[in-house]
Amino acid sequence: MIPMYKIGVVGEKDAAVAFLSLGMTVKGVDTPEEAQRAIDEMAREGYGLIFVTETIAKEIDETIERYKNNFLPAIILIPGVNGSLGIGLQKIKNNVEKAVGVDILSKKEG
């Protein structure tokens, strides 16, 4: 039997509340300390995936990096209420380039 992991969202309250309708656990936070606690708590509780808004993630880079090499939880950065800061996409591009050996996601004129 395949284990079913919970999915959580950590971010500013206005952005995170939209995920409640999808059945995800939502932790609306106001400070970096609240975000760190929420992520650590979800990790201890066995969450498989934690979405974190970019606005919050840029304030807690140390916490995000701590989980980077762990299989679980996977932490994925998503745009906040003010749109994307480009942080999440850059992290994905860096990981793909590391795995493949070349940047295959950039649009290059040829």
Side-chain angles (χ1 to χ4, degrees), residues 93 103-110:
K93 287 173 73 171
D103 181 3
I104 61 172
L105 297 177
S106 290
K107 295 179 185 175
K108 295 181 180 166
E109 299 294 321

Side-chain angles (χ1 to χ4, degrees), residues 49-100:
L49 177 61
I50 303 172
F51 292 108
V52 180
T53 61
E54 291 177 328
T55 309
I56 294 297
K58 74 177 184 175
E59 301 293 327
I60 59 165
D61 193 52
E62 183 179 295
T63 301
I64 303 296
E65 287 297 312
R66 189 167 6 111
Y67 292 103
K68 183 173 88 173
N69 294 322
N70 294 352
F71 180 68
L72 292 176
I75 296 182
I76 307 296
L77 305 186
I78 59 173
V81 292
N82 296 322
S84 177
L85 302 175
I87 300 169
L89 181 58
Q90 187 59 50
K91 286 191 181 286
I92 290 170
K93 287 173 73 171
N94 291 346
N95 287 335
V96 169
E97 186 171 352
K98 187 168 138 183
V100 177

Side-chain angles (χ1 to χ4, degrees), residues 31-53:
T31 68
E33 294 77 22
E34 289 177 349
Q36 290 169 331
R37 280 194 302 273
I39 291 170
D40 290 340
E41 181 180 302
M42 288 178 171
R44 278 192 308 275
E45 292 176 3
Y47 279 70
L49 177 61
I50 303 172
F51 292 108
V52 180
T53 61

